[in-house]
Amino acid sequence: TMILGVNENEYLPHKHHLLASSICDATAIAPVAKIINEHFGIKLGYVTTLHPWLSYQNLMDGPSSSWSVPGEVYHHYALGRSAIGNIIPKPTSAMEAVFKVLPKLTKEIGSFSYRTPTQIIGSADLSFIVEKSATKKDLIKSFKDYQKNQKYQILKISNSPLVSMDYIGEEYSAIVDTRWLDIINSELIKIVLW
């Protein structure tokens, strides 16, 4: 599994013949988690993703049929409910995917998702407790340094009063919305990504 901005330097053409580019949530979360872990050390945390509806969801309430396992009907969450009229809580594999490309990152990070009644553009709410004392200024500087030196369009910093639809056509993997960045007691970092 390879995520640009995280582990593309580990690619060996003579050894790796099949690559997986992971899932959309992980391509946004992993580069940001890598930066925070390298500068401040992540001890534990929680990630909540807000994901637009997907094609296998229902327009009207009905059974939640598996897309990956044809014939299977999910019973453990409410994905069968109307995608256009509900915010639907569900499990997510976002952090499992992140751990594949950041194996040194602590596994003490939980994750949860809401499927939202939107057509496009997701968001993630990251809360990490870090080992080293952090300030907003230091954290934003670490993101800006990465943004300035990045090889690909991975990370973008924004302070504009935008909403999800404003990001349609954006080419970056993750946009850190500094309007919602907060640090409590120099150790709890909260970040909103688009």
Side-chain angles (χ1 to χ4, degrees):
T1 301
M2 183 177 77
I3 294 179
L4 291 177
V6 179
N7 67 338
E8 72 273 10
N9 295 334
E10 297 171 15
Y11 171 65
L12 303 171
H14 62 280
K15 181 179 177 185
H16 302 129
H17 304 292
L18 181 63
L19 297 177
S21 61
S22 195
I23 60 174
C24 59
D25 297 326
T27 60
I29 296 167
V32 174
K34 180 181 180 184
I35 293 166
I36 294 170
N37 196 48
E38 286 177 351
H39 287 86
F40 305 100
I42 296 173
K43 286 199 294 190
L44 56 113
Y46 209 89
V47 171
T48 301
T49 63
L50 296 105
H51 198 293
W53 64 47
L54 293 176
S55 61
Y56 63 82
Q57 287 183 254
N58 297 330
L59 293 179
M60 297 172 55
D61 286 351
S64 177
S65 300
S66 171
W67 179 74
S68 58
V69 185
E72 181 177 329
V73 176
Y74 292 122
H75 298 286
H76 64 289
Y77 55 90
L79 265 184
R81 302 299 300 273
S82 169
I84 59 173
N86 293 293
I87 296 174
I88 302 170
K90 66 174 289 297
T92 181
S93 59
M95 288 313 297
E96 291 170 30
V98 169
F99 295 145
K100 285 182 181 179
V101 297
L102 290 172
K104 293 181 182 176
L105 191 63
T106 176
K107 303 285 191 213
E108 298 298 320
I109 300 173
S111 58
F112 178 77
S113 183
Y114 288 104
R115 194 60 54 80
T116 60
T118 55
Q119 299 174 36
I120 193 167
I121 308 300
S123 183
D125 179 337
L126 316 179
S127 296
F128 296 133
I129 294 177
V130 292
E131 296 167 354
K132 297 178 186 172
S133 181
T135 67
K136 285 185 186 181
K137 183 179 177 182
D138 291 339
L139 185 57
I140 290 172
K141 182 184 183 312
S142 66
F143 290 143
K144 285 184 176 179
D145 288 347
Y146 181 91
Q147 179 180 288
K148 184 174 66 175
N149 298 311
Q150 63 190 343
K151 183 177 179 180
Y152 306 102
Q153 291 179 315
I154 306 298
L155 183 71
K156 182 177 178 180
I157 311 300
S158 174
N159 194 37
S160 300
L162 303 178
V163 297
S164 60
M165 294 290 277
D166 297 324
Y167 293 105
I168 291 175
E170 189 62 69
E171 296 181 1
Y172 288 82
S173 300
I175 298 160
V176 175
D177 194 333
T178 57
R179 294 174 304 151
W180 311 115
L181 189 148
D182 198 9
I183 298 179
I184 298 169
N185 201 31
S186 301
E187 63 179 351
L188 174 58
I189 295 174
K190 177 172 174 77
I191 297 176
V192 171
L193 302 180
W194 295 100

